Amino acid sequence: MEDIAPELLRKIQEQFEQDIEKNSTIKKFKELTKKGKVTYQQASEVTQEIGRILAKAYSDNLSSAVLPDGRMYYNIAS
């Protein structure tokens, strides 16, 4: 059986990085960080946005259709 983990990881990371680059909230946060003008509220919003983007990358790339026998094996999960 072919190990799908490396390709699956690559796809998830690629989508995550692309979505991070496109996100206006994160772009604005990066600019404010350089100026040293970030609030705790803004940091909280960005962490929530990053979590949402990561969850989307996982849900878009992980399904029983792409997993061998429709199952998440240990080597794939690790």
Side-chain angles (χ1 to χ4, degrees):
M1 179 183 307
E2 179 185 344
D3 185 8
I4 67 162
E7 180 64 18
L8 195 55
L9 178 60
R10 186 196 63 74
K11 286 180 180 180
I12 292 168
Q13 287 176 328
E14 187 176 286
Q15 180 178 339
F16 177 75
E17 290 168 5
Q18 288 174 357
D19 290 350
I20 289 287
E21 287 294 317
K22 292 184 220 173
N23 189 284
S24 60
T25 303
I26 295 172
K27 284 181 185 178
K28 182 179 176 184
F29 183 78
K30 286 180 181 180
E31 291 171 11
L32 290 172
T33 302
K34 289 177 186 174
K35 296 176 184 177
K37 299 183 178 189
V38 176
T39 66
Y40 285 109
Q41 178 64 33
Q42 291 165 324
S44 176
E45 289 171 6
V46 167
T47 57
Q48 289 175 23
E49 194 67 17
I50 291 170
R52 187 191 64 73
I53 291 169
L54 183 58
K56 185 177 182 309
Y58 277 120
S59 67
D60 287 353
N61 292 285
L62 281 176
S63 69
S64 60
V66 298
L67 297 172
D69 303 324
R71 300 176 77 186
M72 175 66 75
Y73 290 96
Y74 177 81
N75 69 316
I76 297 169
S78 68

